[in-house]
Amino acid sequence: MSTPSALARPVGVPLAHRLAARAVLPLTFLLARMKPRRVAAVLGFLRRGAVPASTARAKAARDAVCAVSLSCAGPQGCLPRSLGATLVCRLWGEWPTWCTGVRVVPPFAAHAWIEADGRPVDERVPGDYFSRLLAVAPVGMRTPGGETPFRETP
């Protein structure tokens, strides 16, 4: 028996944003099946030439991905959701910080999310709720924890 959950899908997402999200979904699901180091390498290549994303643009990208994909909007969709939002931002010439890590309070759980302006975007948890293990930040930008972008942290 599964746990019932209600999906909160964004409404009022502009058509252009939804089309951008649909365009990146195939690459999103392909990346989600790769090993973390390969994902980081691909994202490290794709981020070149992009400017840091604002919180508003990163949230708009995340909303677009959740509006067009039930699997991204679902409770187990954090990896494709974060990858999709990152790729939509890249289509717009911007780059959020893509992160993967773990929850710092029991029980253990892995999670993937995006950050903008040094804070998780639309995660509804405090900024220190997750411990970042891997991050791909905009080129030339250091992640809030001080580590260099796209390196594993201890």
Side-chain angles (χ1 to χ4, degrees), residues 17-148:
H17 292 193
R18 287 180 293 164
L19 290 175
R22 284 202 187 278
V24 303
L25 281 180
L27 180 56
T28 295
F29 290 112
L30 178 67
L31 284 170
R33 298 182 63 126
M34 293 181 179
K35 294 181 179 182
R37 285 188 185 270
R38 174 72 66 170
V39 172
V42 171
L43 294 180
F45 174 78
L46 292 176
R47 71 181 173 168
R48 295 182 307 164
V51 299
S54 66
T55 301
R57 291 291 276 180
K59 182 178 179 345
R62 186 181 189 279
D63 286 349
V65 169
C66 290
V68 300
S69 172
L70 281 175
S71 60
C72 290
Q76 302 298 318
C78 65
L79 182 58
R81 179 173 53 241
S82 64
L83 289 167
T86 299
L87 295 174
V88 169
C89 281
R90 183 60 188 105
L91 284 179
W92 296 338
E94 301 180 11
W95 192 266
T97 300
W98 177 79
C99 305
T100 60
V102 295
R103 190 167 44 195
V104 296
V105 295
F108 170 83
H111 190 57
W113 67 98
I114 59 171
E115 294 181 355
D117 300 325
R119 291 184 303 275
V121 175
D122 206 26
E123 289 294 327
R124 298 179 188 96
V125 295
D128 60 349
Y129 190 76
F130 299 110
S131 176
R132 192 180 310 107
L133 298 176
L134 185 65
V136 182
V139 172
M141 183 177 165
R142 294 180 78 74
T143 57
E147 64 269 11
T148 57

